[in-house]
Amino acid sequence: MFAKKYLRPFLSWLFKIPLRNFYSLSETQQGILIVANKNTSLDWFLLYLALPDNTLFAYDSSFPPPPWWRWWHPTPQAINIQKGDMDELAPLLQHLRQAGVVALFPEVSPLLAGGTIGKMSDWSALLLTQAGVPILPVHLHRRGSCKFWPRIRIHFFPTRPFLLDANASQTNQRQQATYFLGDCLAWARLLAVPKPQTLWEGLRWAQKRVAHNRFAIPIQDSLGQHATHAQLVFRARVLAHLLDKKVDIGERVGIVLPTSVGAVITFFALQALGCVPALLNFSVGSKPMVAAAQLAGLKIILTSRLFVRKAHLEAAIAALEAIVTIIYLEDIKKELTTGKAIAVYLSGLLPNRWIQKRQAAVRPDDPAVILFTSGSEGTPKGVLLSHANLITNGVQVAARIELRRDDLFFNVLPMFHSFGLTVGALMPLLHGMRLLLHPSPLDYREIPQLALQHRATILAGTNTFLAGYGRTAHPFDFHTLRLVFAGAEPLRPTTRQLWLEKFGLRILEGYGCTETSPALAVNTPLENRPGSMGRLLPGIKHLLTPVTGIHNAGALEVTGPNIMLGYLSPKTIGAVMTPQGERGLGWYPTGDIVRIDTDGFLFMVGRSKRFAKIAGEMVSLAAVEALVEELWSDDRHAVLTVPDPRKNERLILLTEKQNPDRTQLTTMAQQKGLGEIYLPKTILTVEKIPLLGNGKIDYNAALELAHAIEI
């Protein structure tokens, strides 16, 4: 009582802990199991002060509380768990059954960078399966860099019930409890960690976090450009100053630039001005680019003369000039005088009123960027994402993946793709990581050399690109990588096996959509199941809607803080169509048919649009493609469907395999237990299957090519 009576106010003042964060559990009718994250050596002390006197603490012998903990504890109510068997857990279970409170730190791994959730102890999972009580998540968040007097917040959240699968084995029950504990801590971290209001504020936050190392280079590209966080902010402010009179707050401004330092500076300059960048996909040609500019209602597009010339975009820019004003960065640079640069620099030493005025008009839920879907199966859509969408998605990923300040994220994906923008650029920069950019993911020989030269530690790509790097790279080129992520398209088993055998690296497959900012699920070093797309990120709720003819799977709908504001309306310029699913507004139907196992791992069954109804049966085109890829793994294939007068639809295989043997395909299908309806009736050989800029198959162009060949 002495500690709580006198030390609570003192420590509240010393460590800047608001008293309102101290939680007092009232008399409960049932026991409560409190789980908290690791943060500092003071965790035991602070949690004791915040909890009732009858709280029973449990700790793992591998990670005990500090020695002085028992010195100030008047009646040490702590149990040391060594073996983790039922005998040691019996006092805890008895206390819970008597409506008591038990508190523990379930993580047994050392404190990970950025507060990422670590490995759970086996005994804490066993306790959860036997207790039958709700979980109360607690998050201790440390702010500031001071080691001895940090600013600490203690956040308590509503209890969460653990639904035990009575039919599962004890091993599976304990595994499910382990995942549940991790989910509770990750969910609490997502809600408790303070987040910047806007992307520009997030960049300024990152600048302050790394201010102690002003000469570190957080961002560079293979073109020779580089900048520290301070230089990045300064250059973005300079460009914003030059664009100030040309754009209005909230105006949508197009960007046609490669993945480079210049593109990042341009993006954040528009963020500083309160504008909404629209990143145009320059790999699709002039007609789709004009349609995208009209859909977004653009009046101005920023680009570079050098890039237009090197990328051969003269025709596309000429077509765009008929409807918008093209501003070249080289021309803006000529407007910069020494006096203006000095004025902008000096304004950075004082409050920037002109930026503050624009930022004051921007809210977290306001539009931050316009991206366009790949259009692999239809017309590209304009997706409007908010500041909160993009920032939250980065925090969701960081809760699952350990992101270190000394990491070098190698981004080769185009920034007009949501994977390349959010995961490949914004997340590393806003978390204070270093970033290396390369303009083209198709440089299969150059990219491994760059990874070796710059000692990259994280790489993200699609299956198509990772397979190309794996074939051309030397086994030593990727020896500094510790994390490799794959997304945007299914990861082939052959690509996974190639990287594992040649480089000793596991490719962690993820899943997402442009409409979800984009990450929805991801495999991690801690939670990895090959063949799956990972487990859903914290804060995301899902719904599986039954689909006729498909068993043990359903159409996936999701909702959460990373779901888009909506689609741009093709009928009314400026209008936004809010996503709506079976449960109403805010639920986004992904269009994917997925299966979710008992541990929460997602498995792709196929796109709802990529199913064929043949003789009354639903056939997944993705499953047929997987069958063909397993047989002829060195070539690319696309399975298409066309109308059939007798069986409703029939399958066509478009393949780069020369002289394909249909007998081999039939034998493979029989070995897999697949019927005749899974075999394409027509096999067409082409020199190259059409691809989109992000490496995915362009099924619209592939179907046109198939029709042209058949005719």
Side-chain angles (χ1 to χ4, degrees):
M1 296 298 294
F2 171 82
K4 293 198 174 184
K5 183 176 181 180
Y6 297 102
L7 290 183
R8 179 186 289 182
F10 173 72
L11 291 177
S12 173
W13 167 80
L14 182 63
F15 296 105
K16 310 300 181 184
I17 305 175
L19 285 175
R20 65 177 180 274
N21 286 139
F22 283 112
Y23 189 83
S24 178
L25 290 172
S26 59
E27 294 295 329
T28 59
Q29 301 299 320
Q30 62 176 338
I32 291 180
L33 182 61
I34 294 179
V35 295
N37 66 304
K38 288 186 176 182
N39 189 43
T40 69
S41 60
L42 294 171
D43 292 344
W44 287 96
F45 197 14
L46 299 176
L47 195 60
Y48 162 73
L49 295 177
L51 296 178
D53 295 333
N54 66 340
T55 301
L56 188 61
F57 291 85
Y59 64 91
D60 194 291
S61 58
S62 302
F63 295 92
W68 46 264
W69 188 65
R70 291 181 179 273
W71 173 78
W72 54 260
H73 204 303
T75 56
Q77 297 176 316
I79 296 180
N80 182 359
I81 307 297
Q82 296 181 348
K83 298 179 181 178
D85 54 18
M86 290 302 301
D87 292 337
E88 290 184 326
L89 299 181
L92 301 176
L93 293 173
Q94 182 180 1
H95 190 69
L96 289 171
R97 289 164 184 161
Q98 295 175 352
V101 179
V102 173
L104 54 90
F105 296 91
E107 296 174 273
V108 296
S109 58
L111 184 64
L112 300 179
T116 303
I117 307 305
K119 178 184 176 182
M120 303 293 121
S121 62
D122 292 334
W123 64 266
S124 61
L126 177 60
L127 176 64
L128 180 58
T129 60
Q130 300 297 320
V133 298
I135 295 286
L136 192 152
V138 176
H139 186 85
L140 295 95
H141 176 66
R142 173 177 176 172
R143 299 183 64 183
S145 57
C146 181
K147 182 178 181 180
F148 299 102
W149 291 279
R151 298 176 60 188
I152 298 176
R153 296 290 187 271
I154 303 178
H155 302 265
F156 289 80
F157 296 93
T159 57
R160 303 185 69 180
F162 173 60
L163 303 179
L164 184 66
D165 186 359
N167 298 323
S169 64
Q170 291 184 356
T171 302
N172 289 338
Q173 287 179 350
R174 190 179 302 186
Q175 188 173 19
Q176 292 172 15
T178 300
Y179 288 133
F180 182 77
L181 287 171
D183 289 343
C184 286
L185 294 182
W187 172 72
R189 181 187 185 278
L190 174 66
L191 298 180
V193 174
K195 294 175 279 293
Q197 299 294 303
T198 65
L199 292 177
W200 176 254
E201 183 181 339
L203 183 64
R204 298 302 305 272
W205 276 29
Q207 179 191 2
K208 294 177 182 178
R209 285 199 296 268
V210 298
H212 61 281
N213 191 0
R214 298 183 178 182
F215 300 101
I217 299 178
I219 179 172
Q220 56 187 320
D221 59 32
S222 57
L223 304 176
Q225 300 295 318
H226 56 82
T228 65
H229 268 99
Q231 291 171 340
L232 180 60
V233 171
F234 172 70
R235 294 175 187 177
R237 288 175 47 247
V238 169
L239 181 57
H241 180 79
L242 297 175
L243 293 172
D244 187 26
K245 303 300 182 181
K246 298 180 175 64
V247 296
D248 298 323
I249 297 178
E251 182 177 350
R252 300 170 181 177
V253 181
I255 296 179
V256 179
L257 291 171
T259 303
S260 60
V261 173
V264 174
I265 292 173
T266 304
F267 179 86
F268 278 106
L270 294 177
Q271 295 296 339
L273 293 171
C275 298
V276 183
L279 305 181
L280 300 184
N281 184 349
F282 47 79
S283 68
V284 294
S286 58
K287 187 176 180 180
M289 290 180 69
V290 171
Q294 292 175 332
L295 179 62
L298 302 182
K299 299 178 180 179
I300 295 175
I301 290 180
L302 302 176
T303 186
S304 164
R305 295 185 187 275
L306 179 62
F307 172 63
V308 170
R309 184 173 69 254
K310 287 189 173 182
H312 306 291
L313 297 176
E314 292 85 356
I317 295 300
L320 287 169
E321 282 183 318
I323 59 172
V324 300
T325 300
I326 304 295
I327 298 180
Y328 294 97
L329 296 180
E330 291 90 344
D331 297 341
I332 295 182
K333 188 176 180 180
K334 296 178 182 178
E335 300 177 11
L336 179 62
T337 63
T338 304
K340 288 184 179 180
I342 294 176
V344 173
Y345 174 76
L346 293 177
S347 67
L349 303 178
L350 300 171
N352 300 312
R353 294 183 178 179
W354 59 283
I355 288 184
Q356 287 181 343
K357 182 179 179 180
R358 286 179 174 263
Q359 288 293 304
V362 181
R363 299 291 181 266
D365 292 330
D366 288 345
V369 69
I370 296 175
L371 297 175
F372 297 89
T373 59
S374 60
S376 58
E377 300 163 10
T379 303
K381 300 176 181 178
V383 177
L384 204 59
L385 300 174
S386 70
H387 295 270
N389 291 154
L390 298 169
I391 293 172
T392 302
N393 199 231
V395 177
Q396 289 172 316
V397 174
R400 297 286 195 195
I401 304 294
E402 183 183 14
L403 302 178
R404 306 170 184 170
R405 295 281 177 84
D406 59 347
D407 272 328
L408 175 60
F409 197 111
F410 191 8
N411 181 25
V412 300
L413 299 172
M415 288 180 57
F416 58 71
H417 189 265
S418 57
F419 194 10
L421 175 66
T422 305
V423 178
L426 297 181
M427 186 184 70
L429 285 174
L430 299 187
H431 284 80
M433 300 165 57
R434 295 179 297 150
L435 178 61
L436 173 63
L437 303 171
H438 186 70
S440 175
L442 299 174
D443 295 334
Y444 293 131
R445 296 191 179 277
E446 185 178 355
I447 286 173
Q449 294 296 324
L450 289 170
L452 175 63
Q453 176 185 349
H454 295 276
R455 303 183 66 83
T457 60
I458 302 178
L459 176 67
T462 65
N463 173 83
T464 301
F465 300 145
L466 293 177
Y469 309 148
R471 288 192 297 266
T472 59
H474 186 276
F476 193 70
D477 287 343
F478 294 128
H479 79 283
T480 59
L481 290 180
R482 69 178 187 89
L483 295 173
V484 181
F485 297 102
E489 61 176 336
L491 179 66
R492 291 187 186 183
T494 52
T495 306
R496 182 187 297 110
Q497 192 67 22
L498 171 64
W499 275 74
L500 186 60
E501 294 179 354
K502 190 172 183 179
F503 309 112
L505 292 169
R506 290 184 301 172
I507 298 180
L508 303 173
E509 186 174 4
Y511 165 68
C513 318
T514 304
E515 293 86 347
T516 59
S517 306
L520 279 175
V522 65
N523 282 286
T524 72
L526 181 64
E527 301 173 350
N528 180 42
R529 188 154 297 175
S532 76
M533 301 178 297
R535 303 179 71 246
L536 289 172
L537 297 174
I540 297 176
K541 298 179 181 179
H542 74 280
L543 171 69
L544 289 184
T545 304
V547 178
T548 304
I550 301 177
H551 307 286
N552 301 322
L556 178 66
E557 292 188 8
V558 292
T559 187
N562 58 319
I563 304 303
M564 65 174 178
L565 296 177
Y567 290 117
L568 297 179
S569 173
K571 298 180 180 180
T572 306
I573 295 178
V576 179
M577 299 181 295
T578 306
Q580 183 170 358
E582 292 289 334
R583 291 191 177 182
L585 294 176
W587 284 81
Y588 167 64
T590 64
D592 292 321
I593 311 298
V594 305
R595 174 176 63 87
I596 303 180
D597 66 10
T598 55
D599 293 329
F601 285 89
L602 276 67
F603 293 83
M604 177 66 73
V605 177
R607 291 283 297 171
S608 57
K609 294 182 179 179
R610 302 210 69 236
F611 275 83
K613 193 169 186 179
I614 302 176
E617 294 289 334
M618 298 295 290
V619 177
S620 170
L621 305 187
V624 181
E625 281 184 358
L627 175 69
V628 179
E629 288 168 356
E630 185 175 352
L631 178 61
W632 301 316
S633 58
D634 294 334
D635 302 285
R636 188 177 286 108
H637 319 276
V639 177
L640 311 170
T641 177
V642 295
D644 184 87
R646 293 190 306 110
K647 295 187 176 182
N648 193 44
E649 291 181 289
R650 64 184 174 93
L651 302 182
I652 293 179
L653 172 61
L654 202 64
T655 177
E656 295 177 357
K657 172 73 174 177
Q658 300 300 315
N659 302 318
D661 187 351
R662 183 181 174 81
T663 305
Q664 294 179 347
L665 188 59
T666 303
T667 304
M668 174 67 77
Q670 292 174 350
Q671 293 174 353
K672 297 290 184 181
L674 299 177
E676 182 70 21
I677 60 175
Y678 281 84
L679 295 177
K681 297 302 180 183
T682 306
I683 300 179
L684 303 175
T685 300
V686 296
E687 182 178 351
K688 190 173 182 61
I689 290 179
L691 298 178
L692 296 169
N694 56 11
K696 298 169 67 174
I697 295 176
D698 188 342
Y699 287 102
N700 291 329
L703 187 59
E704 293 178 2
L705 181 60
H707 282 309
I709 296 175
E710 281 198 309
I711 292 175

